[in-house]
Amino acid sequence: MLSIRQFSHVILRRLYSPIVIRYQSTTTTDLIKTSSTDIEQKPIHDYTPWATSETNRLIDYLSARIKAAGPITIADFMHEALLNPKYGYNTRHEVYGKKGDLITTSETTQLFAELLATWVINEHSTIGGNVLQLVDMGPGRGILLNHIIKILKQRKYSDSYTFFAIYEMNPLMRRRQAETLLGRSFNPLIANDYRVKDGNYSLIWFDDMKQLLSNNTYFIANEFFNVYPIHKFQKTPQGWKEVMVDWNPLTKQLHYVLSLKATTMSRLYENFLKNIKDRQHIEISPQRAAMVQTICRHLTKYGGSLLIGDYGHWGEKSDTFRAFRKDELIDPLSDPGNADIIADVDFEELSTRGMEIPNVQFFGPISQRNFLYNLGLDKRLTDIIQDKTPEEQEDILSDVEKLMPGHFVNDIHSCVDDSLIGYVRTHSHLELAGRAVISRAPLPSVAIISGNGSGHEPAMVGFVGRGLLSAAISGSIFASPPSSDIFRLIVELKRRGAKQILLIILNYTGDRLNFGLAMERARELAIDIDMLVIADDAVVNNSIGPRGLAGSLLVIKVAGELAEQGKNMSEIVDICQKVRGHLRTIGLSASGIRAPGQHQSFELMDDEMELGMGIHGESGVQKLKLLPSRQAIDLALNQLFIGPSTLHLEPENNVLLFVNNLGGCSNLELGIIVKDAIENLERRKLHVKRVICGEMMTSFNMKGFSLTVLKISSDMGTTVLELLDAPTDAFAWPKTISATQSSNSIQALSDSLEFNDQFSSQLVINESYISFDSSTAELVHQALQAVAKKLYAEADKLNRLDAVSGDGDTGTAFTRAADAIARDLVNGKLSLDRPSSLFRRLGLIAESRMGGTCGAICGLFFAAVAKHLSLAKQTTKLIENLSDAFEAGIQSVESYARVQPGDKSLLDALIPAVDYIKSKRTHQTFTTNDWKELAVVAEHAAQETKNYIAKVGRASYTKANDNNVPDPGASAIAIILQAISDTFAKTSTH
């Protein structure tokens, strides 16, 4: 094997990448001939002011350099921003971990390290050799490597011929790595031989491959290559131009420009760039390619493998240049030196450059999810969580989800096309040409076209149809459609007979540029075309104005119906501009986005929400503690009255409310949001004439919503409502939009418990002969108090038991019953001396308050007990009457619920308890020991349910491994009987 020098290379590609949106460029300097007219750029995600040369020392340094020699390349900018000796980010900051800006999931769990250790063992076993040399490229604080070292030692795979090496240029990070791996805080010297604290293994830091041993080497490069400097190129009508960084003396900020002169890199890559046909923007990293080739040469000479895990793509992405500060996505130019700057890895480029070295094999790329599963993630995960508590299981599964966010896609490269094909095959009025969805209906004179990046479905594909869009064009996920695709669609609709074409787009720079370029090309062909840009964001207003959000759909519907009525383009634009001016939207979210191939741009804790975020995952204007729906909506709607884009509304104005689900809200939540939004506007003395609600413009799976308010002015009120109400065959537009109902249509019903109680009082119920004496009635009162107190105390425990295979609410259900019992005791509603009335009331409480399987079983049981006691004759022994009544209750439950002993339900504790009571029916009364024994019987029976398989309730439909967990309902019965037994045992005879 060594003579072959086989290099087995697996590329690990993470399926989350950056959001590709762009912002408008600023004015250039006049030091060299440059242009910013057509440059493709990204948005300002951080809405705080940008740093200037007066507030940022690195910008001050760069401005002096630019004034002296002209704009610099993106690669030079990245080098200075990260590695400048005085002001560079990497020379002054910890890069990874909770104190850093880029928190890597590989450091959140040992499970990842175990699977990487498995990869190392598999590769070393395949290639062979007596020496194991493991190299970690840029290992952060060294936590991942430390776990791998321990795992190799535990598996007895490593020995005295095991060596470890670290490639790290950041002296601060070398110090942190030494703390983790050596147990000492110092800056380790390059090429010095140190000893790992756990295992006495050799460890060196190196900066040259020659410092490594001349043996098989296994490299791990986890999130290593994305920090290498890149050169960026933009396609223009004059050919490919390199993107540069300039300094604006007016704003004193950095900005992007295009060099109109050929640069060194554009000349070097001229032939390569000429062959790029399907992208408008490309990133190239010569240093990244050079490092891969250096590693490949080492492996060709000595053998081994390289594993790369990074955010990346296979040559299909364009603009991935971005920065992180405090784990928030910001523009790279906004605050250099104080943010970590990265760009996605082009694995196709690495593969091409690496294959230039002889005897090199490449495998992959594959998703991180598949890679980990291939190494046995599912089996290891099952072993880990088997003996854990429900809380520990939840934490572990949460960590795993961070490692491998899953989506139901076949391939990241084809997911947009697959989705469009699915939609078109489902709806016969649509046809698909490339990524353009076109209506089969006869074209009106004015064809309406819109489009956007994918990930917002059903927008815009769902709004193609008669009376709405004539066609829609889709880009990649969160990326504007290319201008060439847009132009091709325009030409096709013109060919089909459209006399005029109106483009309606959302206000994002990428859309403005690409649709604008396509429109200019169409005008060169004498096509009568115009463009309407919608900017309805109520809170964020950057250099190109407010962003376009879900409110744009209202304008599109108005335009589509006007076109269907035969209006010309001038008339359509006039009316749509009026609607646009009366429109505002604001969004709220309780989560970020994790879309296929995209990196999550901001994260929220479980108790946080973001106000004013964009539909591409851009962070909003304010991060707040999560509020109840009513308060959150009030906060959001306040922005319409006091925000930067105020909508001038006065009392008695008519409005339309549009509530849009951003993808992750449940329908139950959406109903609450609609209710609270309507009531909020009505409290402001506004008349809500229409409500549109649904999932219409999503942000992939964001758990959030947007609120759009359209002011219906007197000069357009009836017309606009009629246009919005008009039918369309577009599948995502609501089929019916009716006038808002008044609050008088909402009928409030009395409490179900009181209704059942009143209804029962009207029935003719036999008067029971059985009663309790006053002392027993007092004990019943004390026992019920004890039961309520005990259920309160054990609620969390019961919920945790239920969470293993149910919905985690058993404790809550019994607590609701305890609340009702406690109130009844205070209000005197329980007939404590009449057992038939007492059990009837307890049955009603179970029915109306508990819900679920437990509530139904308890309700049936108590109802049957009450009925039996009401018909029973007084005997000499009360225990006989109660025994027979309890048995009747069990039989009633079994007949209705088809529940049998051993089905893992609360009956598994209740039946043994009733059987024990029946065994004492010949006794005159229960003794203290009898009461204690009853509690023991119930507890033992509840614990025995650990060994049962659930056959009723929600747990019967799950595949959870709950063999070691008792049934929560049976446990609740044991808790109740313990409280009752403790009360009665104190006064009973021995």
Side-chain angles (χ1 to χ4, degrees), residues 1-10 119-120 122-129 131 215-219 295-307 354-355 357-363:
M1 294 293 286
L2 286 175
S3 62
I4 300 175
R5 296 191 179 98
Q6 180 183 9
F7 168 36
S8 176
H9 181 147
V10 178
W119 175 82
V120 172
N122 291 344
E123 288 296 297
H124 188 241
S125 300
T126 300
I127 295 174
V131 174
N215 294 98
N216 285 349
T217 308
Y218 301 90
F219 292 87
I295 295 174
C296 287
R297 289 190 186 96
H298 180 90
L299 293 169
T300 301
K301 188 173 183 179
Y302 301 112
S305 300
L306 164 64
L307 176 68
M355 291 291 284
I357 309 302
N359 300 321
V360 173
Q361 291 179 299
F362 274 71
F363 302 96

Side-chain angles (χ1 to χ4, degrees), residues 87-356:
Y87 312 121
Y89 180 82
N90 286 359
T91 57
R92 299 186 298 114
H93 293 78
E94 288 188 36
V95 183
Y96 298 96
K98 291 185 178 179
K99 292 184 179 180
D101 292 296
L102 189 58
I103 299 175
T104 60
T105 56
S106 61
E107 293 190 342
T108 65
T109 177
Q110 184 178 348
L111 183 59
F112 189 55
E114 290 186 33
L115 298 173
L116 289 187
T118 300
W119 175 82
V120 172
I121 293 171
N122 291 344
E123 288 296 297
H124 188 241
S125 300
T126 300
I127 295 174
N130 297 321
V131 174
L132 173 61
Q133 181 172 224
L134 180 61
V135 177
D136 199 340
M137 308 292 286
R141 290 176 292 161
I143 293 176
L144 180 64
L145 179 60
N146 192 43
H147 281 316
I148 292 174
I149 292 172
K150 290 180 180 179
I151 293 162
L152 291 174
K153 180 182 178 182
Q154 290 169 2
R155 298 184 185 181
K156 299 181 180 180
Y157 196 83
S158 55
D159 52 31
S160 58
Y161 296 103
T162 300
F163 301 89
F164 299 94
I166 292 176
Y167 185 83
E168 178 60 71
M169 305 306 294
N170 185 340
L172 180 58
M173 294 311 299
R174 286 207 302 267
R175 180 181 295 274
R176 293 289 176 260
Q177 292 154 10
E179 291 176 358
T180 301
L181 296 162
L182 306 180
R184 295 183 281 152
S185 180
F186 71 107
N187 186 6
L189 299 176
I190 295 295
N192 267 27
D193 190 8
Y194 298 98
R195 294 283 130 180
V196 176
K197 65 180 180 179
D198 296 317
N200 198 33
Y201 303 119
S202 172
L203 172 66
I204 69 166
W205 278 258
F206 73 101
D207 59 7
D208 191 315
M209 295 292 171
K210 295 178 182 178
Q211 295 160 343
L212 297 176
L213 297 176
S214 302
N215 294 98
N216 285 349
T217 308
Y218 301 90
F219 292 87
I220 294 178
N222 184 46
E223 295 188 24
F224 169 72
F225 283 103
N226 59 14
V227 298
Y228 270 81
I230 59 167
H231 290 267
K232 293 167 64 69
F233 299 90
Q234 174 108 6
K235 194 173 188 179
T236 72
Q238 293 76 39
W240 286 94
K241 305 298 180 182
E242 184 164 9
V243 180
M244 313 289 281
V245 174
D246 199 359
W247 177 73
N248 189 327
L250 298 178
T251 64
K252 302 186 186 303
Q253 296 172 348
L254 298 175
H255 67 120
Y256 300 101
V257 294
L258 289 179
S259 177
L260 297 185
K261 293 181 179 180
T263 63
T264 301
M265 294 306 298
S266 64
R267 285 193 293 266
L268 181 62
Y269 284 90
E270 182 177 3
N271 291 332
F272 172 77
L273 292 170
K274 285 180 179 178
N275 293 323
I276 302 297
K277 304 298 183 183
D278 56 348
R279 283 189 281 175
Q280 304 294 312
H281 200 98
I282 194 168
E283 299 167 342
I284 299 173
S285 177
Q287 293 183 36
R288 188 186 286 162
M291 174 55 77
V292 167
Q293 289 186 333
T294 298
I295 295 174
C296 287
R297 289 190 186 96
H298 180 90
L299 293 169
T300 301
K301 188 173 183 179
Y302 301 112
S305 300
L306 164 64
L307 176 68
I308 302 176
D310 231 314
Y311 302 106
H313 58 95
W314 190 260
E316 75 275 6
K317 289 194 175 178
S318 54
D319 188 5
T320 72
F321 184 48
R322 63 198 188 278
F324 289 89
R325 183 180 60 204
K326 305 302 180 188
D327 206 34
E328 291 283 345
L329 186 64
I330 64 171
D331 191 278
L333 303 190
S334 64
D335 197 15
N338 295 316
D340 194 32
I341 299 177
I342 61 176
D344 279 6
V345 177
D346 185 342
F347 286 118
E348 185 179 36
E349 178 191 11
L350 293 191
S351 175
T352 301
R353 300 305 177 194
M355 291 291 284
E356 293 174 357

Side-chain angles (χ1 to χ4, degrees), residues 372-627:
L372 296 178
Y373 268 116
N374 291 343
L375 290 173
L377 172 66
D378 50 350
K379 183 179 184 304
R380 184 69 186 112
L381 185 60
T382 301
D383 294 339
I384 289 175
I385 68 174
Q386 186 169 9
D387 298 325
K388 303 295 183 182
T389 65
E391 295 94 333
E392 292 170 332
Q393 291 179 4
E394 183 177 350
D395 291 342
I396 293 171
L397 292 173
S398 176
D399 272 351
V400 171
E401 175 60 24
K402 291 178 183 178
L403 283 172
M404 35 176 259
H407 303 286
F408 290 108
V409 299
N410 299 313
D411 184 88
I412 184 62
H413 312 302
S414 64
C415 64
V416 173
D417 303 279
D418 290 348
S419 176
L420 292 174
I421 290 171
Y423 281 124
V424 170
R425 294 199 66 178
T426 306
H427 300 92
S428 60
H429 71 285
L430 301 178
E431 61 178 284
L432 185 63
R435 287 187 173 178
V437 176
I438 305 173
S439 173
R440 293 183 184 274
L443 275 179
S445 294
V446 181
I448 311 295
I449 297 177
S450 187
N452 54 1
S454 299
H456 305 299
E457 288 76 16
M460 294 293 180
V461 59
F463 302 105
V464 176
R466 182 183 289 106
L468 239 159
L469 291 174
S470 301
I473 183 74
S474 295
S476 297
I477 295 177
F478 294 163
S480 175
S483 59
S484 56
D485 290 359
I486 302 167
F487 174 69
R488 190 168 183 172
L489 175 59
I490 292 170
V491 171
E492 175 61 20
L493 292 194
K494 178 64 176 177
R495 184 189 68 80
R496 294 187 182 202
K499 293 183 174 62
Q500 297 176 308
I501 295 176
L502 176 61
L503 307 177
I504 303 181
I505 65 169
L506 279 64
N507 191 32
Y508 290 97
T509 303
D511 291 334
R512 293 178 71 116
L513 289 171
N514 285 295
F515 279 86
L517 180 57
M519 181 173 66
E520 293 304 320
R521 292 182 63 190
R523 284 175 173 169
E524 292 175 355
L525 300 179
I527 296 176
D528 189 358
I529 187 170
D530 203 350
M531 184 165 73
L532 187 64
V533 181
I534 311 301
D536 54 315
D537 192 342
V539 293
V540 173
N541 193 345
N542 59 23
S543 58
I544 66 166
R547 298 170 298 192
L549 299 174
S552 58
L553 296 177
L554 302 181
V555 179
I556 290 173
K557 178 61 171 69
V558 168
E561 182 56 29
L562 288 171
E564 188 67 23
Q565 294 177 7
K567 304 295 185 183
N568 63 41
M569 188 156 63
S570 176
E571 293 172 314
I572 295 172
V573 170
D574 286 345
I575 295 176
C576 286
Q577 285 178 335
K578 289 183 181 180
V579 175
R580 181 180 61 178
H582 289 78
L583 191 68
R584 298 293 184 275
T585 301
I586 184 170
L588 268 173
S589 177
S591 77
I593 308 169
R594 184 164 283 140
Q598 302 291 327
H599 173 70
Q600 184 159 309
S601 57
F602 71 91
E603 292 194 22
L604 295 173
M605 303 296 288
D606 290 343
D607 62 344
E608 292 180 333
M609 68 180 187
E610 190 89 12
L611 175 66
M613 73 293 142
I615 58 173
H616 305 92
E618 313 98 299
S619 55
V621 291
Q622 194 173 8
K623 184 179 291 184
L624 304 160
K625 287 296 182 183
L626 186 63
L627 297 172

